[in-house]
Amino acid sequence: MPQKDCGRKFAVCLLLAIGTIALYFPALHFNFVNVDDVYVTANPNVNHGLTGHGLAWAFQAGYAGNWHPVTWISHMADAQVFGARAGWHHAMNLLLHVLNSMLVFLVLSRMTGAFWRSAAVAAFFAWHPLQVEPVAWIADRKDLLCGFFGLLALWSYVRYAENPKEPAPINRKLFYILALVFFTIGLMAKPMLVTLPFILLLIDWWPLQRLGLPVATGEQAVPQVRPASVVSLLIEKIPFFLLSIASGVITLVAEHSEEAMSVVAHLPLKTRFVTAVVAYFRYIEKLVWPADLGASYPYIYNLPKWQLAAIALLLVGITYIAINVRKSRPYWTVGWFWFVVMLIPTLNVLHTGAQPLADRYMYLSSLGLLILICWDATDLAAQWPSGRLALSAVGALALVGCFVASSMQLQYWRNEGKLLSRIADPNSNFAGHASYASFLAGAKQFSEAEAECEKAITIMPNYPVLQAEMGDILLSEGKYDAAIQRFQTVQKMEPRMVNIHLPWGRALLAQKKIEPAMAEFQTVIKAEPKNFEAYNYLGQAFASMGRTGTAIEEYQRSLTMQPNQPDLLNNLAWIYATDPHPEFRNGTNAVRLAQAAFAMTRNTQPIFLGTMAAGYAEAGHFDDAVMGAQKAHDMAVADADVAEKAGRTAVAHNLQALADREIKLMQLYKSHKPFRDQPPAKN
């Protein structure tokens, strides 16, 4: 590479990095949002860092309806190094997006030779508002990793396809193997990359021109490549297609295991097909004019026929143009079909979950449209004397507009309530109402949560997941009879839906209906023998009956299946420290388990310190007990103050109650007396 060209590329990469970091720097001060819990904050397999158990779990299909071990391992590594400091998790997302933006430029410029067009595509890719969701949302690390390894696979493939002056077959084989390796890792980050083999066939035709067919190249210098026949090109893609098929099969297994297909099963095929068609139009619309972006979008139920016909006519027209100008403007063909093909796995016509359309699905798909727009705009501008100057001005204004719009969109991710309350198409967006209801329930705003969930149910009355969510909300609110009625409704709708039996049992347990509650937990265990939560609650049922020994056995079973359960370790430690039956008390074990629980949460939970203090008191170490209770009190007060300032009043109230309890226990320990729980009342 000439030194001048190397310097220009370095300058563009530096500008992309500086601009992207400046744009997303505020996100480093954002916290986790509720939808991060499955991936990081409430996932003990992840938030304990890199462990042998966690790594083995990462390769199991089914959790959260996905199989993406590379994504899980990435989150584990963050937890190992950064703990629960959300800013650093955001920083890793930002770093990946910066690298991806530079890779877009480097890959495009290498395979097309078009320096400034490639730079423009990379800049729009880096700063477009559609990219805010995957960068600002910690749980969407999978799209960033998928993009990173997918772009590396493209770069390796381009290097493999190049025809150097001195043939070096070993190097070619190395780049081919690298392309396969990066593709495999990308699939293990997110299976959306299954369409990459089709993209490779597209770039074989243009810009690599491996078929040797006559197409216009414009002013750019296309790198020399080895010519090949259609048959040979297809044969060399066989390993890529086999990997895509394998990934697709694993994904279907994972989706079925988590009932991710439930929402699709309750929608008519017509609705899914219409939504898929309209989705393509909306993606184009949001790329060109990124307004009204939301955290979720609805399926299309009622659309005037004339609008649907106009959208279909537009899409067919663009497809016709893309095919018809394939010789004079090959970037139309490649860009359009890149966009169309990469979105196919997200359309939900026959499979996958509840999201018919999402900003994050455009992370790599948008590159096709950006290539089409930037290349065609340059060719059109070249037809006028001052066209290039005008295009530069318009392009700069468009980039500034994208930068400003992205800055505004980013602010919605600062506040989860604000993000989820921004419901696109509220009259048909049941998923948006359901997500907001879940947030409100987590914030203890139960009446508002009920109202939002009821809106979702009104839109989608036959979807059992929504009924189950309403049951969970009512359970959290303490409306146990109403919650049980909802779970019974779900059972009638979908008898195979096992996950309702766990909250159903919890509701019965709260009503002191011990035997029916135990029956529900046993139902879960029968269907899912390794459901450690069911054994946990079964232990609680036995404990509430005064059968402490059996409760301990169930707790131990749960811990055998999932040892990284700090809350359960704390509960067991509390039994050892405070149980009224002396044969079960063991202060040394209580301290050991409480210390383990405290360490698993990186010494951040004051309640575990309080349990540790109770263990010290049981063991007769009253000075340590007093010191532990004092530390638990001080930490709880400090955490309550932080929660109060953040507007989390319910959390602050619970922490203050814990602090008050530790003051009372401290006085007990000072008098050299351990704390004893009261035995359960006999019915």
Side-chain angles (χ1 to χ4, degrees):
M1 181 187 298
Q3 186 173 359
K4 178 182 178 182
D5 195 37
C6 184
R8 289 198 307 167
K9 287 189 175 182
F10 176 80
V12 169
C13 288
L14 183 62
L15 180 61
L16 287 170
I18 292 173
T20 306
I21 292 171
L23 171 60
Y24 286 102
F25 188 79
L28 303 188
H29 301 286
F30 294 0
N31 208 331
F32 294 104
V33 293
N34 189 50
V35 282
D36 290 325
D37 57 358
V38 173
Y39 279 81
V40 184
T41 57
N43 189 335
N45 298 293
V46 172
N47 58 29
H48 298 140
L50 293 166
T51 64
H53 174 85
L55 292 173
W57 168 86
F59 284 88
Q60 297 176 9
Y63 192 82
N66 293 290
W67 186 76
H68 41 42
V70 168
T71 298
W72 293 127
I73 293 170
S74 170
H75 287 303
M76 290 176 193
D78 281 4
Q80 179 72 34
V81 178
F82 308 126
R85 292 171 289 180
W88 286 103
H89 293 255
H90 282 294
M92 295 308 296
N93 272 24
L94 174 54
L95 175 61
L96 281 169
H97 186 53
V98 169
L99 293 174
N100 288 344
S101 302
M102 293 190 290
L103 276 172
V104 167
F105 166 65
L106 294 173
V107 171
L108 278 179
S109 61
R110 186 173 191 98
M111 72 181 183
T112 66
F115 182 88
W116 291 113
R117 301 184 209 204
S118 301
V121 170
F124 280 112
F125 172 84
W127 304 333
H128 198 281
L130 282 175
Q131 311 294 40
V132 170
E133 179 176 281
V135 181
W137 184 17
I138 291 173
D140 202 36
R141 174 75 56 80
K142 52 185 176 287
D143 275 295
L144 301 170
L145 286 168
C146 171
F148 179 68
F149 289 107
L151 290 166
L152 284 177
L154 271 176
W155 174 84
S156 301
Y157 182 79
V158 172
R159 292 299 308 271
Y160 156 76
E162 288 178 358
N163 183 16
K165 294 180 180 179
E166 296 181 2
I170 295 178
N171 288 342
R172 292 193 72 237
K173 290 179 181 178
L174 174 62
F175 284 120
Y176 183 82
I177 292 171
L178 279 176
L180 282 172
V181 169
F182 288 135
F183 178 49
T184 303
I185 299 173
L187 289 172
M188 291 194 293
K190 185 176 182 180
M192 185 176 173
L193 207 60
V194 292
T195 55
L196 184 67
F198 296 98
I199 304 302
L200 297 182
L201 288 171
L202 283 174
I203 67 172
D204 277 338
W205 176 64
W206 183 90
L208 298 182
Q209 299 184 38
R210 296 185 70 196
L211 288 172
L213 298 177
V215 294
T217 61
E219 297 179 3
Q220 65 269 31
V222 179
Q224 287 187 320
V225 296
R226 295 176 183 269
S229 65
V230 173
V231 174
S232 64
L233 290 178
L234 289 173
I235 290 174
E236 74 178 15
K237 302 301 185 300
I238 288 176
F240 291 93
F241 280 111
L242 290 176
L243 287 169
S244 292
I245 292 169
S247 177
V249 171
I250 294 173
T251 300
L252 288 175
V253 171
E255 289 170 353
H256 276 291
S257 67
E258 288 292 310
E259 299 181 335
M261 297 176 69
S262 296
V263 64
V264 176
H266 290 81
L267 288 172
L269 181 60
K270 177 183 175 182
T271 297
R272 287 177 260 154
F273 180 76
V274 168
T275 299
V277 172
V278 175
Y280 276 113
F281 170 75
R282 289 194 169 180
Y283 282 128
I284 298 170
E285 179 185 41
K286 292 181 184 300
L287 185 82
V288 176
W289 190 257
D292 298 323
L293 302 182
S296 65
Y297 301 95
Y299 279 86
I300 307 301
Y301 300 98
N302 299 304
L303 191 71
K305 291 183 178 180
W306 69 268
Q307 288 188 20
L308 181 59
I311 290 172
L313 185 62
L314 173 67
L315 297 178
V316 171
I318 296 175
T319 303
Y320 173 79
I321 293 172
I323 295 173
N324 199 47
V325 300
R326 62 188 181 278
K327 292 183 179 180
S328 59
R329 284 180 163 83
Y331 46 78
W332 265 83
T333 313
V334 172
W336 176 248
F337 285 104
W338 179 316
F339 164 70
V340 170
V341 169
M342 286 215 77
L343 281 173
I344 288 175
T346 73
L347 296 179
N348 300 326
V349 176
L350 298 175
H351 59 88
T352 71
Q355 284 286 348
L357 184 147
D359 296 352
R360 60 186 178 275
Y361 295 160
M362 280 289 278
Y363 192 70
L364 287 180
S365 308
S366 63
L367 287 173
L369 292 181
L370 291 174
I371 290 170
L372 189 160
I373 293 169
C374 291
W375 256 255
D376 199 51
T378 303
D379 282 355
L380 289 174
Q383 298 177 15
W384 288 276
S386 302
R388 291 186 181 276
L389 181 62
L391 177 63
S392 299
V394 171
L397 286 174
L399 280 174
V400 170
C402 282
F403 196 97
V404 172
S406 293
S407 298
M408 297 172 64
Q409 179 66 16
L410 183 64
Q411 298 309 309
Y412 286 100
W413 288 89
R414 182 185 297 275
N415 184 313
E416 185 177 1
K418 188 176 182 181
L419 171 69
L420 295 178
S421 66
R422 192 187 187 200
I423 301 173
D425 300 321
N427 293 328
S428 58
N429 193 348
F430 73 88
H433 289 295
S435 297
Y436 190 36
S438 178
F439 165 78
L440 291 169
K444 311 298 183 185
Q445 297 174 252
F446 295 116
S447 58
E448 293 87 347
E450 281 188 53
E452 284 298 321
C453 195
E454 196 59 54
K455 291 177 184 177
I457 292 172
T458 301
I459 297 168
M460 194 72 171
N462 297 321
Y463 185 28
V465 172
L466 297 178
Q467 298 287 349
E469 181 176 353
M470 180 64 87
D472 287 334
I473 292 170
L474 294 168
L475 172 62
S476 299
E477 197 173 0
K479 297 179 179 179
Y480 303 121
D481 287 330
I484 291 170
Q485 288 178 4
R486 292 288 179 167
F487 297 137
Q488 290 171 338
T489 300
V490 174
Q491 188 176 41
K492 293 177 182 177
M493 287 183 172
E494 182 51 80
R496 298 169 298 176
M497 197 167 175
V498 178
N499 59 3
I500 61 164
H501 292 281
L502 202 63
W504 192 342
R506 289 170 54 203
L508 292 167
L509 188 61
Q511 293 179 320
K512 307 299 182 183
K513 298 176 180 178
I514 309 301
E515 291 185 3
M518 294 172 69
E520 294 301 323
F521 301 142
Q522 292 288 2
T523 299
V524 177
I525 291 170
K526 184 178 179 180
E528 301 174 1
K530 294 185 178 181
N531 190 311
F532 61 90
E533 289 183 290
Y535 290 100
N536 188 346
Y537 286 114
L538 194 59
Q540 292 183 29
F542 281 118
S544 66
M545 297 170 65
R547 296 174 59 181
T548 306
T550 310
I552 291 174
E553 290 176 4
E554 296 299 335
Y555 286 150
Q556 294 290 3
R557 284 193 183 96
S558 181
L559 287 171
T560 300
M561 297 172 189
Q562 174 52 269
N564 298 325
Q565 297 185 69
D567 289 327
L568 179 50
L569 289 173
N570 182 70
N571 291 342
L572 193 53
W574 187 256
I575 289 177
Y576 288 144
T578 68
D579 194 84
H581 304 94
E583 65 268 25
F584 298 118
R585 293 199 300 270
N586 188 318
T588 302
N589 280 347
V591 171
R592 176 178 57 82
L593 293 175
Q595 285 176 335
F598 195 50
M600 283 181 185
T601 56
R602 304 204 178 252
N603 304 338
T604 59
Q605 298 297 321
I607 191 171
F608 300 161
L609 266 179
T611 302
M612 198 186 307
Y616 279 127
E618 168 59 26
H621 304 304
F622 292 104
D623 290 341
D624 292 331
V626 172
M627 187 181 303
Q630 183 66 60
K631 288 181 179 178
H633 168 271
D634 295 344
M635 183 181 291
V637 169
D639 289 351
D641 184 57
V642 172
E644 188 69 40
K645 290 179 180 177
R648 301 162 63 196
T649 54
V651 175
H653 176 77
N654 292 336
L655 286 166
Q656 189 57 53
L658 173 63
D660 295 340
R661 187 193 74 169
E662 292 304 318
I663 286 291
K664 294 178 181 178
L665 291 177
M666 200 187 315
Q667 300 305 317
L668 190 66
Y669 303 152
K670 285 180 178 179
S671 63
H672 286 206
K673 294 179 181 179
F675 174 73
R676 295 285 176 264
D677 252 344
Q678 294 297 318
K682 295 183 179 180
N683 295 330

